[in-house]
Amino acid sequence: MPALGFPTLVESGRPSSTVPNPIVQVDTNYGSFRIELDRQKAPITVENFLGYVERGAYDQTIVHQVFPRAVIVAGAIRTNGEPVKPGPPIFNEAHNGLKNTRGTVAMYRDPNDPHSATSVFFINVKDNPAFDPQLERSGASPGNLAQVQAEDYGYCVFGKVVQGMEVVDKIANVPIQDTDQLQCTPVEPIVVRSIRWIK
């Protein structure tokens, strides 16, 4: 896969601070919750996520992994077992100042490739500082991200649950099992019926 490089934000390409953050509603068989997307801090990631939403790519998918008291993971597998068709990988905006705290939403990516996120996302059900950038551990400076090791680059937070966190908590406490394909997958399917951009 070709290197994605490190884009520079051109002033004219930055979203205006007066543009409100989008809000999406996630409807599941366990209830509904809403996520506010941070378009100012994570513009690339938000537009990527909204692209999947607008295409209906997340409709009739499952929460395919639940790591108890840590995260729930979705956006990869349909209810019929088929994979979600991924778009091109995106630049990792993990160094945007947003932290993986309880209720935040972040992109999953290959641990060995910081710039490999496509459709898969997770919701933090507790504070997870280990998922934030670890520059000191890599011995890199904030101005030289090319020196950051893949495992230390971080996972990009791009939104936060603003309504219905009790539904996320309920999902995070379902019985799980390990299968031949996945670790920590729910015993009974947790269906994401739809994700809609509501405002």
Side-chain angles (χ1 to χ4, degrees), residues 126-145:
K126 72 172 184 67
D127 292 353
N128 286 307
F131 299 156
D132 295 333
Q134 310 291 326
L135 295 182
E136 291 182 4
R137 194 165 64 190
S138 263
S141 63
N144 194 356
L145 299 182

Side-chain angles (χ1 to χ4, degrees), residues 104-167:
T104 57
V105 185
M107 292 305 295
Y108 177 79
R109 45 91 172 177
D110 183 333
N112 297 313
D113 183 353
H115 308 291
S116 58
T118 56
S119 65
V120 185
F121 63 95
F122 62 89
I123 302 175
N124 291 290
V125 295
K126 72 172 184 67
D127 292 353
N128 286 307
F131 299 156
D132 295 333
Q134 310 291 326
L135 295 182
E136 291 182 4
R137 194 165 64 190
S138 263
S141 63
N144 194 356
L145 299 182
Q147 291 183 344
V148 181
Q149 299 298 313
E151 64 269 25
D152 297 334
Y153 202 94
Y155 292 78
C156 176
V157 172
F158 66 99
K160 183 176 180 63
V161 175
V162 292
Q163 183 178 318
M165 190 63 193
E166 68 278 3
V167 175

Side-chain angles (χ1 to χ4, degrees), residues 19-25 35-40 42-59 90 107 118-119 121 158 195-199:
V19 176
N21 283 329
I23 293 178
V24 298
Q25 178 160 308
I35 301 169
E36 180 179 352
L37 308 176
D38 197 325
R39 195 177 241 153
Q40 281 69 49
I44 296 169
T45 312
V46 167
E47 293 312 310
N48 174 71
F49 183 79
L50 287 176
Y52 287 104
V53 170
E54 290 290 272
R55 293 193 298 274
Y58 292 130
D59 297 357
I90 59 171
M107 292 305 295
T118 56
S119 65
F121 63 95
F158 66 99
I195 302 181
R196 291 289 178 267
W197 185 355
I198 59 172
K199 61 180 178 179

